[in-house]
Amino acid sequence: MPRVTIADIARAAEVSTATVSNALNGTGRLADTTRARVHATAAALGYGAAAPVPRVLGLAVTTYGPLPWNFADVPYFAQAIGAATAAAHARGYALTALPAAPAAALWRTIPVAGVLILDSPAGDPVVPVLRARGLPLAFDGRPSDPGPREAWVDNDHRAATRDVLDHLAAQGARRIALMAGPGDEHYTRECLAAHREWCADHGVAPRVIPFAPADTDGRTLDAVLRDPGRPDAIYGIYDPCGRRAHAAATRIGLRLPGDLLLVCASEDPAYATTEPPLSTVSLLPRLTCAAAVSLLIDLIEHPDLTPEPVIVPARLDIRASSSPLRLTEG
């Protein structure tokens, strides 16, 4: 590996090369915080040494950009972190998962050989910081503008969404709503696009119920489900959607699946034990993240490699909440 230069430090610390020189030499008139940041950046990058590539990978979840949130509580991300860690260990690497909305300085200085990014939205503020360091990147979820030395793994979200809508229509649903947003990551955009396309193909108006992250009890759904023209089926594309729609239906006296069919995308095994058991779509993060880590390490160890994207099919697990035909046949 080439030695770290003053220009590398300046780029990572977002200061001029003159500022770096003054900070490292103890000269010039600099704020103490600036001088400390330069020293920390230089140490993290291994300035003054041959700076071997650390056998450590970073993991970032940047779905909501600058908003802090505890993604580790979401079953999808919990499984993703576990799978990524196991895949990294299998290749002799450690993995560090950092909290959402980290300070930019952290990403400028953390000593990693490459970074796995989950659910990166358009205009992701973390990605340019990492690219400026020349780090290889792998994305779980297709990025909006993949660059060189970058790879991605994803599901076919349009196919998965159409499969769910086809399933609900086959069970008799005629007013199917998609519960989605406000995220601007590829996953949400693809699901919304597939819903619009499916509705156009079937000559019906799209119905979208905005997902309200703070509405943990699903109260915003009460008015939607009380309306005379209410949806007769909902596909919620995030883990909490099933619980919230189920709670709202129970509050206003709708029966699942008699009055409302319900499917949600989730890795939470508890959905199989609710009353009635809820149908779910699994995006199989254990497979996608393991594949993404493998691609990332390949990029680290073979800088000239240009890996092909990997598509992992999603899985629809049909349960009683979306299958009244099964109930009547039984």
Side-chain angles (χ1 to χ4, degrees), residues 96-113:
T96 299
L98 293 181
L106 184 60
W107 288 111
R108 286 196 298 265
T109 59
I110 185 169
V112 293

Side-chain angles (χ1 to χ4, degrees), residues 3-274:
R3 289 180 179 273
V4 177
T5 67
I6 286 179
D8 295 328
I9 300 169
R11 183 169 58 250
E14 296 183 352
V15 297
S16 67
T17 54
T19 297
V20 172
S21 179
N22 285 332
L24 296 180
N25 292 322
T27 58
R29 300 178 63 182
L30 302 177
D32 290 341
T33 54
T34 300
R35 197 179 299 276
R37 185 168 84 248
V38 170
H39 276 279
T41 302
L45 295 179
Y47 179 68
V53 175
R55 295 186 71 83
V56 179
L57 309 178
L59 182 147
V61 178
T62 58
T63 312
Y64 297 124
L67 297 178
W69 64 296
N70 186 12
F71 58 82
D73 278 348
V74 178
Y76 176 88
F77 294 112
Q79 288 191 26
I81 294 168
T85 302
H89 290 177
R91 298 280 296 269
Y93 285 76
L95 183 137
T96 299
L98 293 181
L106 184 60
W107 288 111
R108 286 196 298 265
T109 59
I110 185 169
V112 293
V115 179
L116 170 61
I117 302 177
L118 282 65
D119 279 7
S120 176
D124 189 335
V126 172
V127 170
V129 176
L130 300 173
R131 285 175 174 164
R133 292 180 56 184
L135 291 172
L137 307 177
F139 296 84
D140 178 37
R142 182 174 182 171
S144 58
D145 58 340
R149 296 198 72 201
E150 296 178 3
W152 58 270
V153 178
D154 204 1
N155 310 99
D156 188 339
H157 299 300
R158 293 201 184 205
T161 301
R162 293 184 72 94
D163 284 348
V164 172
L165 300 176
D166 286 341
H167 161 66
L168 292 171
Q171 308 309 305
R174 296 296 177 262
R175 302 182 304 278
I176 305 172
L178 190 76
M179 191 172 178
D184 189 37
E185 75 287 352
H186 178 73
Y187 170 60
T188 296
R189 296 197 307 270
E190 286 291 281
C191 292
L192 287 167
H195 179 245
R196 289 192 299 269
E197 292 168 359
W198 187 92
C199 290
D201 291 344
H202 290 75
V204 297
R207 294 169 176 249
V208 177
I209 302 172
F211 175 75
D215 180 26
T216 56
D217 295 327
R219 297 285 176 179
T220 55
L221 291 169
D222 291 4
V224 174
L225 295 180
R226 285 195 177 102
D227 189 276
R230 63 170 180 79
D232 56 9
I234 294 176
Y235 174 37
I237 70 170
Y238 311 126
D239 175 79
C241 292
R243 287 183 289 275
R244 297 182 186 186
H246 187 285
T250 300
R251 273 195 302 272
I252 64 179
L254 295 180
R255 296 171 298 128
L256 273 66
D259 300 314
L260 179 70
L261 305 181
L262 181 59
V263 180
C264 77
S266 175
E267 312 304 324
D268 190 347
Y271 276 126
T273 62
T274 59

